mmCIF file of all heavy atoms in Angstrom:
data_model
loop_
_atom_site.group_PDB
_atom_site.id
_atom_site.type_symbol
_atom_site.label_atom_id
_atom_site.label_comp_id
_atom_site.label_asym_id
_atom_site.label_seq_id
_atom_site.Cartn_x
_atom_site.Cartn_y
_atom_site.Cartn_z
ATOM 1 N N SER T 417 42.005 34.004 -46.309
ATOM 2 C CA SER T 417 42.139 32.963 -45.300
ATOM 3 C C SER T 417 41.936 33.692 -43.970
ATOM 4 O O SER T 417 42.569 34.680 -43.610
ATOM 5 C CB SER T 417 43.478 32.227 -45.246
ATOM 6 O OG SER T 417 43.520 31.324 -44.267
ATOM 7 N N SER T 418 40.963 33.152 -43.169
ATOM 8 C CA SER T 418 40.772 33.740 -41.837
ATOM 9 C C SER T 418 39.818 32.809 -41.078
ATOM 10 O O SER T 418 38.742 32.543 -41.239
ATOM 11 C CB SER T 418 39.955 35.084 -41.938
ATOM 12 O OG SER T 418 39.662 35.565 -40.597
ATOM 13 N N THR T 419 40.573 32.083 -40.050
ATOM 14 C CA THR T 419 39.782 31.228 -39.160
ATOM 15 C C THR T 419 38.701 31.877 -38.413
ATOM 16 O O THR T 419 37.599 31.366 -38.300
ATOM 17 C CB THR T 419 40.816 30.454 -38.209
ATOM 18 O OG1 THR T 419 41.863 29.861 -39.006
ATOM 19 C CG2 THR T 419 40.124 29.537 -37.386
ATOM 20 N N LEU T 420 39.045 33.072 -37.934
ATOM 21 C CA LEU T 420 38.145 33.902 -37.103
ATOM 22 C C LEU T 420 36.785 34.195 -37.859
ATOM 23 O O LEU T 420 35.770 33.928 -37.445
ATOM 24 C CB LEU T 420 38.789 35.098 -36.566
ATOM 25 C CG LEU T 420 37.816 36.047 -35.775
ATOM 26 C CD1 LEU T 420 37.286 35.343 -34.569
ATOM 27 C CD2 LEU T 420 38.584 37.311 -35.366
ATOM 28 N N LEU T 421 37.004 34.748 -39.104
ATOM 29 C CA LEU T 421 35.829 35.147 -39.860
ATOM 30 C C LEU T 421 34.997 33.917 -40.371
ATOM 31 O O LEU T 421 33.789 33.970 -40.351
ATOM 32 C CB LEU T 421 36.283 35.941 -41.068
ATOM 33 C CG LEU T 421 36.837 37.380 -40.767
ATOM 34 C CD1 LEU T 421 37.268 38.027 -42.065
ATOM 35 C CD2 LEU T 421 35.852 38.116 -40.084
ATOM 36 N N HIS T 422 35.670 32.848 -40.633
ATOM 37 C CA HIS T 422 35.049 31.692 -40.991
ATOM 38 C C HIS T 422 34.158 31.072 -39.884
ATOM 39 O O HIS T 422 32.887 30.684 -40.105
ATOM 40 C CB HIS T 422 36.014 30.528 -41.427
ATOM 41 C CG HIS T 422 35.388 29.307 -41.958
ATOM 42 N ND1 HIS T 422 35.049 28.198 -41.144
ATOM 43 C CD2 HIS T 422 34.837 28.926 -43.236
ATOM 44 C CE1 HIS T 422 34.487 27.234 -41.830
ATOM 45 N NE2 HIS T 422 34.289 27.628 -43.062
ATOM 46 N N ALA T 423 34.697 31.032 -38.649
ATOM 47 C CA ALA T 423 33.968 30.617 -37.530
ATOM 48 C C ALA T 423 32.749 31.499 -37.153
ATOM 49 O O ALA T 423 31.764 30.996 -36.781
ATOM 50 C CB ALA T 423 34.878 30.529 -36.284
ATOM 51 N N ARG T 424 32.992 32.786 -37.335
ATOM 52 C CA ARG T 424 31.906 33.771 -37.102
ATOM 53 C C ARG T 424 30.739 33.664 -38.083
ATOM 54 O O ARG T 424 29.628 33.723 -37.804
ATOM 55 C CB ARG T 424 32.373 35.186 -36.987
ATOM 56 C CG ARG T 424 33.196 35.373 -35.707
ATOM 57 C CD ARG T 424 33.662 36.797 -35.631
ATOM 58 N NE ARG T 424 34.350 37.034 -34.244
ATOM 59 C CZ ARG T 424 34.885 38.138 -33.861
ATOM 60 N NH1 ARG T 424 34.938 39.170 -34.715
ATOM 61 N NH2 ARG T 424 35.459 38.263 -32.711
ATOM 62 N N ALA T 425 31.149 33.475 -39.354
ATOM 63 C CA ALA T 425 30.128 33.333 -40.393
ATOM 64 C C ALA T 425 29.381 32.078 -40.234
ATOM 65 O O ALA T 425 28.214 31.900 -40.446
ATOM 66 C CB ALA T 425 30.873 33.278 -41.823
ATOM 67 N N GLN T 426 30.110 30.992 -39.794
ATOM 68 C CA GLN T 426 29.458 29.681 -39.598
ATOM 69 C C GLN T 426 28.441 29.735 -38.441
ATOM 70 O O GLN T 426 27.416 29.016 -38.566
ATOM 71 C CB GLN T 426 30.477 28.586 -39.323
ATOM 72 C CG GLN T 426 30.135 27.165 -39.495
ATOM 73 C CD GLN T 426 31.349 26.266 -39.463
ATOM 74 O OE1 GLN T 426 32.268 26.554 -38.592
ATOM 75 N NE2 GLN T 426 31.247 25.200 -40.190
ATOM 76 N N ALA T 427 28.698 30.601 -37.468
ATOM 77 C CA ALA T 427 27.786 30.598 -36.337
ATOM 78 C C ALA T 427 26.638 31.779 -36.526
ATOM 79 O O ALA T 427 25.816 31.911 -35.617
ATOM 80 C CB ALA T 427 28.543 31.003 -35.050
ATOM 81 N N TYR T 428 26.755 32.454 -37.673
ATOM 82 C CA TYR T 428 25.901 33.576 -37.884
ATOM 83 C C TYR T 428 24.494 33.221 -38.316
ATOM 84 O O TYR T 428 24.362 32.200 -39.151
ATOM 85 C CB TYR T 428 26.510 34.503 -38.937
ATOM 86 C CG TYR T 428 25.944 35.942 -38.966
ATOM 87 C CD1 TYR T 428 26.418 36.989 -38.285
ATOM 88 C CD2 TYR T 428 24.756 36.214 -39.728
ATOM 89 C CE1 TYR T 428 25.969 38.231 -38.332
ATOM 90 C CE2 TYR T 428 24.277 37.482 -39.732
ATOM 91 C CZ TYR T 428 24.829 38.457 -39.069
ATOM 92 O OH TYR T 428 24.252 39.746 -39.173
ATOM 93 N N GLY T 429 23.488 33.796 -37.781
ATOM 94 C CA GLY T 429 22.076 33.686 -38.370
ATOM 95 C C GLY T 429 21.509 32.390 -38.159
ATOM 96 O O GLY T 429 21.682 31.593 -37.124
ATOM 97 N N ASP T 430 20.763 31.794 -39.172
ATOM 98 C CA ASP T 430 19.937 30.654 -39.085
ATOM 99 C C ASP T 430 20.475 29.417 -39.741
ATOM 100 O O ASP T 430 19.784 28.543 -40.263
ATOM 101 C CB ASP T 430 18.530 31.012 -39.687
ATOM 102 C CG ASP T 430 18.653 31.457 -41.102
ATOM 103 O OD1 ASP T 430 19.815 31.503 -41.650
ATOM 104 O OD2 ASP T 430 17.622 31.654 -41.797
ATOM 105 N N GLY T 431 21.834 29.368 -39.822
ATOM 106 C CA GLY T 431 22.413 28.215 -40.453
ATOM 107 C C GLY T 431 22.865 28.395 -41.780
ATOM 108 O O GLY T 431 23.465 27.507 -42.481
ATOM 109 N N HIS T 432 22.646 29.622 -42.434
ATOM 110 C CA HIS T 432 23.124 29.945 -43.785
ATOM 111 C C HIS T 432 24.167 30.941 -43.740
ATOM 112 O O HIS T 432 24.393 31.734 -44.653
ATOM 113 C CB HIS T 432 21.889 30.459 -44.598
ATOM 114 C CG HIS T 432 20.747 29.389 -44.723
ATOM 115 N ND1 HIS T 432 20.835 28.342 -45.565
ATOM 116 C CD2 HIS T 432 19.604 29.336 -44.115
ATOM 117 C CE1 HIS T 432 19.693 27.600 -45.449
ATOM 118 N NE2 HIS T 432 18.893 28.242 -44.582
ATOM 119 N N GLY T 433 24.896 30.988 -42.635
ATOM 120 C CA GLY T 433 25.988 32.026 -42.500
ATOM 121 C C GLY T 433 27.030 31.942 -43.472
ATOM 122 O O GLY T 433 27.653 33.035 -43.887
ATOM 123 N N LEU T 434 27.390 30.773 -43.965
ATOM 124 C CA LEU T 434 28.468 30.666 -44.931
ATOM 125 C C LEU T 434 28.026 30.932 -46.387
ATOM 126 O O LEU T 434 28.816 30.953 -47.327
ATOM 127 C CB LEU T 434 29.110 29.273 -44.993
ATOM 128 C CG LEU T 434 29.875 28.871 -43.606
ATOM 129 C CD1 LEU T 434 30.349 27.502 -43.632
ATOM 130 C CD2 LEU T 434 30.946 29.825 -43.361
ATOM 131 N N GLU T 435 26.708 31.176 -46.552
ATOM 132 C CA GLU T 435 26.164 31.630 -47.852
ATOM 133 C C GLU T 435 25.786 33.062 -47.986
ATOM 134 O O GLU T 435 25.116 33.410 -48.879
ATOM 135 C CB GLU T 435 24.973 30.684 -48.206
ATOM 136 C CG GLU T 435 25.232 29.206 -48.133
ATOM 137 C CD GLU T 435 23.956 28.460 -48.132
ATOM 138 O OE1 GLU T 435 22.864 28.955 -48.520
ATOM 139 O OE2 GLU T 435 23.927 27.201 -47.741
ATOM 140 N N THR T 436 26.177 33.874 -46.936
ATOM 141 C CA THR T 436 25.783 35.347 -46.891
ATOM 142 C C THR T 436 26.888 36.186 -47.054
ATOM 143 O O THR T 436 28.004 35.955 -46.485
ATOM 144 C CB THR T 436 25.142 35.512 -45.406
ATOM 145 O OG1 THR T 436 24.005 34.561 -45.271
ATOM 146 C CG2 THR T 436 24.665 36.921 -45.327
ATOM 147 N N PRO T 437 26.760 37.158 -47.798
ATOM 148 C CA PRO T 437 27.874 38.234 -47.936
ATOM 149 C C PRO T 437 27.773 39.147 -46.663
ATOM 150 O O PRO T 437 26.634 39.432 -46.245
ATOM 151 C CB PRO T 437 27.549 38.909 -49.204
ATOM 152 C CG PRO T 437 26.095 38.794 -49.433
ATOM 153 C CD PRO T 437 25.718 37.426 -48.810
ATOM 154 N N TYR T 438 28.847 39.622 -46.249
ATOM 155 C CA TYR T 438 28.888 40.463 -45.005
ATOM 156 C C TYR T 438 29.678 41.669 -45.321
ATOM 157 O O TYR T 438 30.628 41.674 -46.162
ATOM 158 C CB TYR T 438 29.621 39.717 -43.845
ATOM 159 C CG TYR T 438 28.833 38.499 -43.428
ATOM 160 C CD1 TYR T 438 29.325 37.225 -43.888
ATOM 161 C CD2 TYR T 438 27.723 38.510 -42.682
ATOM 162 C CE1 TYR T 438 28.604 36.100 -43.512
ATOM 163 C CE2 TYR T 438 27.128 37.336 -42.258
ATOM 164 C CZ TYR T 438 27.507 36.221 -42.689
ATOM 165 O OH TYR T 438 26.874 35.022 -42.343
ATOM 166 N N VAL T 439 29.341 42.754 -44.673
ATOM 167 C CA VAL T 439 30.298 43.898 -44.588
ATOM 168 C C VAL T 439 31.095 43.701 -43.318
ATOM 169 O O VAL T 439 30.627 43.450 -42.239
ATOM 170 C CB VAL T 439 29.373 45.250 -44.353
ATOM 171 C CG1 VAL T 439 30.263 46.478 -44.131
ATOM 172 C CG2 VAL T 439 28.505 45.418 -45.556
ATOM 173 N N VAL T 440 32.461 43.868 -43.524
ATOM 174 C CA VAL T 440 33.291 43.557 -42.408
ATOM 175 C C VAL T 440 34.726 44.302 -42.619
ATOM 176 O O VAL T 440 35.159 44.372 -43.726
ATOM 177 C CB VAL T 440 33.607 41.993 -42.227
ATOM 178 C CG1 VAL T 440 34.154 41.501 -43.552
ATOM 179 C CG2 VAL T 440 34.543 41.646 -41.085
ATOM 180 N N ASN T 441 35.141 44.812 -41.526
ATOM 181 C CA ASN T 441 36.468 45.470 -41.475
ATOM 182 C C ASN T 441 37.537 44.348 -41.262
ATOM 183 O O ASN T 441 37.760 43.898 -40.219
ATOM 184 C CB ASN T 441 36.596 46.453 -40.374
ATOM 185 C CG ASN T 441 37.927 47.199 -40.348
ATOM 186 O OD1 ASN T 441 38.781 46.932 -41.184
ATOM 187 N ND2 ASN T 441 38.076 48.080 -39.350
ATOM 188 N N ILE T 442 38.013 43.846 -42.384
ATOM 189 C CA ILE T 442 38.927 42.573 -42.341
ATOM 190 C C ILE T 442 40.221 42.998 -41.630
ATOM 191 O O ILE T 442 40.924 43.912 -41.978
ATOM 192 C CB ILE T 442 39.134 42.134 -43.766
ATOM 193 C CG1 ILE T 442 37.847 41.714 -44.380
ATOM 194 C CG2 ILE T 442 40.077 40.936 -43.673
ATOM 195 C CD1 ILE T 442 37.993 41.375 -45.914
ATOM 196 N N HIS T 443 40.513 42.068 -40.661
ATOM 197 C CA HIS T 443 41.751 42.415 -39.833
ATOM 198 C C HIS T 443 42.562 41.074 -39.566
ATOM 199 O O HIS T 443 43.704 40.948 -40.069
ATOM 200 C CB HIS T 443 41.430 43.090 -38.565
ATOM 201 C CG HIS T 443 42.623 43.478 -37.733
ATOM 202 N ND1 HIS T 443 43.514 44.462 -38.300
ATOM 203 C CD2 HIS T 443 43.119 43.105 -36.579
ATOM 204 C CE1 HIS T 443 44.535 44.659 -37.369
ATOM 205 N NE2 HIS T 443 44.277 43.846 -36.428
ATOM 206 N N ALA T 444 42.026 40.101 -38.919
ATOM 207 C CA ALA T 444 42.636 38.896 -38.571
ATOM 208 C C ALA T 444 42.510 37.944 -39.749
ATOM 209 O O ALA T 444 41.756 36.875 -39.686
ATOM 210 C CB ALA T 444 42.075 38.208 -37.260
ATOM 211 N N ALA T 445 43.202 38.219 -40.809
ATOM 212 C CA ALA T 445 43.105 37.534 -42.013
ATOM 213 C C ALA T 445 44.288 37.657 -42.885
ATOM 214 O O ALA T 445 45.215 38.486 -42.580
ATOM 215 C CB ALA T 445 41.866 37.993 -42.752
ATOM 216 N N HIS T 446 44.445 36.848 -43.856
ATOM 217 C CA HIS T 446 45.577 36.911 -44.865
ATOM 218 C C HIS T 446 44.986 36.879 -46.249
ATOM 219 O O HIS T 446 44.304 35.986 -46.647
ATOM 220 C CB HIS T 446 46.434 35.645 -44.671
ATOM 221 C CG HIS T 446 47.637 35.652 -45.590
ATOM 222 N ND1 HIS T 446 48.379 34.438 -45.964
ATOM 223 C CD2 HIS T 446 48.258 36.699 -46.200
ATOM 224 C CE1 HIS T 446 49.303 34.864 -46.724
ATOM 225 N NE2 HIS T 446 49.304 36.091 -46.920
ATOM 226 N N ILE T 447 45.153 37.990 -46.922
ATOM 227 C CA ILE T 447 44.728 38.113 -48.302
ATOM 228 C C ILE T 447 45.725 37.381 -49.186
ATOM 229 O O ILE T 447 46.902 37.686 -49.147
ATOM 230 C CB ILE T 447 44.554 39.557 -48.778
ATOM 231 C CG1 ILE T 447 43.594 40.331 -47.853
ATOM 232 C CG2 ILE T 447 44.059 39.598 -50.205
ATOM 233 C CD1 ILE T 447 42.241 39.721 -47.686
ATOM 234 N N LEU T 448 45.327 36.339 -49.897
ATOM 235 C CA LEU T 448 46.183 35.321 -50.528
ATOM 236 C C LEU T 448 46.730 35.709 -51.904
ATOM 237 O O LEU T 448 47.687 35.174 -52.350
ATOM 238 C CB LEU T 448 45.504 33.990 -50.586
ATOM 239 C CG LEU T 448 45.087 33.372 -49.196
ATOM 240 C CD1 LEU T 448 44.315 32.179 -49.416
ATOM 241 C CD2 LEU T 448 46.215 33.162 -48.318
ATOM 242 N N ALA T 449 46.021 36.724 -52.560
ATOM 243 C CA ALA T 449 46.600 37.121 -53.850
ATOM 244 C C ALA T 449 45.985 38.497 -54.130
ATOM 245 O O ALA T 449 45.142 39.006 -53.314
ATOM 246 C CB ALA T 449 46.015 36.211 -54.914
ATOM 247 N N GLU T 450 46.555 39.175 -55.054
ATOM 248 C CA GLU T 450 46.124 40.531 -55.440
ATOM 249 C C GLU T 450 44.644 40.501 -55.860
ATOM 250 O O GLU T 450 44.256 39.592 -56.620
ATOM 251 C CB GLU T 450 46.970 41.106 -56.636
ATOM 252 C CG GLU T 450 48.376 41.427 -56.172
ATOM 253 C CD GLU T 450 48.450 42.624 -55.054
ATOM 254 O OE1 GLU T 450 47.670 43.586 -55.289
ATOM 255 O OE2 GLU T 450 49.155 42.411 -54.132
ATOM 256 N N PRO T 451 43.834 41.492 -55.517
ATOM 257 C CA PRO T 451 42.472 41.544 -55.924
ATOM 258 C C PRO T 451 42.354 41.721 -57.359
ATOM 259 O O PRO T 451 43.207 42.353 -58.050
ATOM 260 C CB PRO T 451 41.942 42.860 -55.244
ATOM 261 C CG PRO T 451 42.872 43.046 -54.048
ATOM 262 C CD PRO T 451 44.103 42.587 -54.515
#
Side-chain angles (χ1 to χ4, degrees):
S417 180
S418 175
T419 302
L420 176 62
L421 291 178
H422 182 267
R424 288 181 174 177
Q426 200 168 32
Y428 196 94
D430 58 357
H432 299 284
L434 295 178
E435 303 168 17
T436 304
Y438 300 97
V439 177
V440 56
N441 181 2
I442 298 170
H443 187 63
H446 182 205
I447 306 301
L448 302 173
E450 289 295 316

